[in-house]
Amino acid sequence: MNVKINITQLKYMLDNIPADQNIMLAGRHGIGKSEILTEYFSKAGMPVIALFLGQMSDPGDLIGLPNKDEKTGKTEFMPPYWFPIDNKPIVLFLDELNRARPEVLQTIMDLALNRKLAGKNLPEGSRIIAAVNEGEEYQLTDLDPALVSRFNIFRFEPSVEEWILWAQKKDVDSRVISFIRDNGTWLDKDPSQEEGEDTGLDKTPDRRAWKRVSDVIKGKENIEQNDVLLISSIVGVKATNIFIKKIRQNKSIEAKDLLNDFDSKVPLLANLSLHQFTILNEDIFSFIESRYDSFTNRKKIADNLKKYIEYLKAYSKNEVLASFSYYLNDKKYEEAAHFIAAEAFTVYREIVKYTSDIKA
């Protein structure tokens, strides 16, 4: 069993593993490996070149085509389209490594060991990161132990909380986010499915699929029967049935709407249960955490947050205030706590005082 890491831990590994050491990420499809790596390395100005090895039928797809050098009379390989000719380092992301044909894997051996491709060196500082799928539902190629030994291997499993923060940044429909927050086992698979079970064409959920669900229901207040059929084609019938049932039971308020226009949402607050208030509180922190660096209306957000806390105090919603206090001290919402302390200090002071009074 390989060591398991989430996104935060992956970023630590990328910060601390030397560029000349190769990394292999094992995990399910649809968990955002390529997107996470592209976002991480873009900050360093390094392009991520993704090669889908399972789609390559011949080593020539990877190393380029042979060509005769008229000066020497010798055959050499023309660099493939992706090969850096400016001598600047790249991140070579070898996706679907264990779906590659054996002859393609032989080419990868030299690349992983010597950082060479058909005699041409990758630029100094380049990184090689591979991804492999796990599970009997995939058509996989056994990897040579000699190739495996050239990689530091991690089982990559981003957490539900990390996906929720990502979903907030991508403006994923709040009903999808709320469902996953309460039913995290449905984020990446059907939890009732046996491990390693071959599902064939049976649709099961994954992170990309839930984003597609958001795309088709965004802006639709009511989910019609045809919408249910559409969602079923994306995440499967069982996940859809549970999702529809939950969102019809838990109609709530979106944090971004509350923080942008509190006054218009006040009438809706009276109908919320404690559970729904708890969801709203976490949505508030998740929303602020995900948008912390991009707010253009910081004062409005802070003012409406102050109105929300005043509402909770006025109506003696002590359990809801306790919930808000919990998230204020939750380390995964540190940026949100900084925002509240800096932009809405009266809120911060009230919650700190409330917490102190409880302890006293």
Side-chain angles (χ1 to χ4, degrees):
M1 183 68 70
N2 295 309
V3 62
K4 182 172 70 173
I5 59 173
N6 57 28
I7 295 176
T8 301
Q9 292 163 330
L10 172 61
K11 291 178 179 178
Y12 178 88
M13 301 304 167
L14 295 174
D15 285 339
N16 289 276
I17 293 176
D20 60 357
Q21 294 186 21
N22 307 319
I23 297 172
M24 183 183 295
L25 304 176
R28 297 179 59 84
H29 65 279
I31 57 177
K33 296 183 287 291
S34 179
E35 182 177 352
I36 292 165
L37 293 173
T38 299
E39 181 179 336
Y40 174 87
F41 285 107
S42 66
K43 295 176 182 177
M46 290 180 66
V48 176
I49 310 298
L51 300 178
F52 296 93
L53 302 185
Q55 300 175 11
M56 293 184 175
S57 59
D58 185 88
D61 296 337
L62 182 63
I63 65 176
L65 299 175
N67 181 61
K68 182 180 178 181
D69 187 325
E70 297 298 335
K71 293 182 180 180
T72 64
K74 296 181 179 180
T75 297
E76 62 178 9
F77 284 90
M78 298 293 291
Y81 73 93
W82 58 266
F83 196 89
I85 58 176
D86 57 4
N87 208 36
K88 293 182 179 178
I90 64 168
V91 179
L92 194 56
F93 180 50
L94 305 175
D95 204 0
E96 302 178 338
L97 181 67
N98 58 341
R99 298 182 70 180
R101 292 172 177 269
E103 54 270 28
V104 172
L105 287 176
Q106 289 301 316
T107 303
I108 298 297
M109 288 280 283
D110 190 34
L111 187 63
L113 179 61
N114 301 312
R115 300 302 175 95
K116 285 186 177 182
L117 192 65
K120 295 181 177 64
N121 291 305
L122 287 178
E124 187 73 23
S126 293
R127 306 196 68 139
I128 296 176
I129 302 176
V132 297
N133 293 324
E134 290 185 311
E136 294 179 7
E137 65 266 37
Y138 303 109
Q139 295 180 352
L140 305 176
T141 302
D142 290 335
L143 296 179
D144 190 315
L147 176 60
V148 172
S149 71
R150 288 163 168 76
F151 289 86
N152 301 349
I153 303 178
F154 301 97
R155 182 185 299 273
F156 183 49
E157 294 185 11
S159 69
V160 173
E161 291 78 10
E162 289 172 332
W163 183 87
I164 289 172
L165 287 176
W166 172 88
Q168 289 276 16
K169 290 180 181 179
K170 298 297 182 181
D171 202 25
V172 169
D173 190 278
S174 62
R175 290 167 291 186
V176 174
I177 295 175
S178 294
F179 174 75
I180 294 301
R181 178 177 286 116
D182 287 348
N183 304 273
T185 54
W186 283 92
L187 177 58
D188 289 310
K189 62 179 182 178
D190 175 352
S192 65
Q193 178 184 316
E194 292 293 333
E195 189 68 32
E197 182 181 346
D198 187 358
T199 60
L201 287 177
D202 291 344
K203 288 296 295 183
T204 54
D206 61 55
R207 294 166 192 240
R208 282 194 298 246
W210 286 116
K211 175 59 169 64
R212 297 206 304 273
V213 170
S214 170
D215 292 341
V216 300
I217 68 172
K218 194 77 174 174
K220 291 184 178 181
E221 184 175 348
N222 297 312
I223 306 298
E224 308 294 342
Q225 183 56 36
N226 284 337
D227 295 318
V228 174
L229 297 177
L230 198 166
I231 296 169
S232 297
S233 74
I234 301 173
V235 295
V237 174
K238 282 198 291 185
T240 299
N241 288 340
I242 295 174
F243 173 64
I244 296 299
K245 180 180 179 182
K246 294 290 185 181
I247 65 174
R248 286 174 177 168
Q249 288 175 345
N250 297 321
K251 288 190 175 181
S252 189
I253 304 172
E254 290 196 41
K256 66 176 182 179
D257 293 336
L258 184 82
L259 295 175
N260 280 291
D261 187 9
F262 176 83
D263 294 338
S264 70
K265 301 302 175 186
V266 171
L268 301 177
L269 291 174
N271 299 318
L272 297 187
S273 66
L274 175 59
H275 176 67
Q276 289 172 319
F277 266 115
T278 301
I279 292 174
L280 177 58
N281 281 345
E282 184 163 15
D283 278 345
I284 288 171
F285 278 88
S286 182
F287 176 76
I288 295 175
E289 184 80 15
S290 65
R291 307 293 177 89
Y292 179 77
D293 294 326
S294 59
F295 279 138
T296 57
N297 55 345
R298 303 174 81 87
K299 186 177 185 306
K300 180 193 287 188
I301 297 293
D303 288 345
N304 283 319
L305 187 59
K306 180 180 178 182
K307 290 180 180 180
Y308 175 62
I309 297 302
E310 289 174 346
Y311 172 91
L312 297 180
K313 288 176 60 183
Y315 288 90
S316 301
K317 300 285 188 180
N318 293 332
E319 290 177 305
V320 182
L321 284 169
S323 163
F324 192 94
S325 171
Y326 170 82
Y327 293 119
L328 185 65
N329 293 285
D330 192 329
K331 288 189 176 180
K332 69 173 177 280
Y333 297 125
E334 286 184 349
E335 297 285 13
H338 290 160
F339 174 88
I340 294 171
E343 305 289 341
F345 182 71
T346 56
V347 171
Y348 186 84
R349 185 178 59 195
E350 288 286 348
I351 296 303
V352 170
K353 181 179 182 301
Y354 174 81
T355 305
S356 299
D357 291 344
I358 291 177
K359 291 179 178 179

